[in-house]
Amino acid sequence: MSTSSSVTVHILDKEYSIMCPQEERANLVSAARYLDGKMREIRSSGKVIGADRIAVMAALNITHDLLHKQETPEVQTSSATREHVRDLLDRVDLVLATDPNERQS
């Protein structure tokens, strides 16, 4: 039986505490770092303004990369991995949707 604990991650200069099973902690931290990197790339381009829009563009880019890798025959992505990515994206969406300090247009 796994126990959940709060994991603190930093994404685009904000701190988020997310409940996560202990055995998934490293994966969550890794995913947060990856997302943070993608969001910083988008923000630094200067073409997208606002954390919500940057998050959506990052999610689209990550999803595009994932789907492109699925089409490549030498890379087999399991359905569990796809589900894990969807779960992480849902968590990010939830955190952004519930943080009123990040509302920018």
Side-chain angles (χ1 to χ4, degrees):
M1 185 164 127
S2 66
T3 57
S4 292
S5 61
S6 180
V7 178
T8 300
V9 296
H10 298 271
I11 301 172
L12 206 59
D13 304 325
K14 296 246 344 147
E15 186 174 281
Y16 299 94
S17 292
I18 302 168
M19 293 301 290
C20 178
Q22 193 64 30
E23 64 272 12
E24 290 294 321
R25 181 182 175 103
N27 290 336
L28 177 61
V29 170
S30 178
R33 280 191 200 126
Y34 185 78
L35 177 61
D36 181 61
K38 288 291 189 185
M39 289 178 70
R40 287 178 186 282
E41 284 176 24
I42 292 166
R43 182 176 67 179
S44 69
S45 76
K47 296 178 183 177
V48 181
I49 299 174
D52 289 348
R53 292 172 191 238
I54 291 170
V56 168
M57 290 305 297
L60 286 171
N61 287 334
I62 292 167
T63 303
H64 175 268
D65 291 346
L66 175 65
L67 293 174
H68 178 70
K69 287 179 182 176
Q70 287 175 348
E71 292 171 0
T72 307
E74 59 269 4
V75 178
Q76 297 295 323
T77 305
S78 71
S79 62
T81 302
R82 287 191 300 275
E83 187 60 35
H84 185 68
V85 169
R86 281 189 204 112
D87 181 50
L88 290 172
L89 289 172
D90 288 345
R91 288 182 189 187
V92 169
D93 288 342
L94 178 64
V95 169
L96 287 174
T98 58
D99 188 354
N101 294 325
E102 278 298 305
R103 298 292 157 244
Q104 298 175 357
S105 298

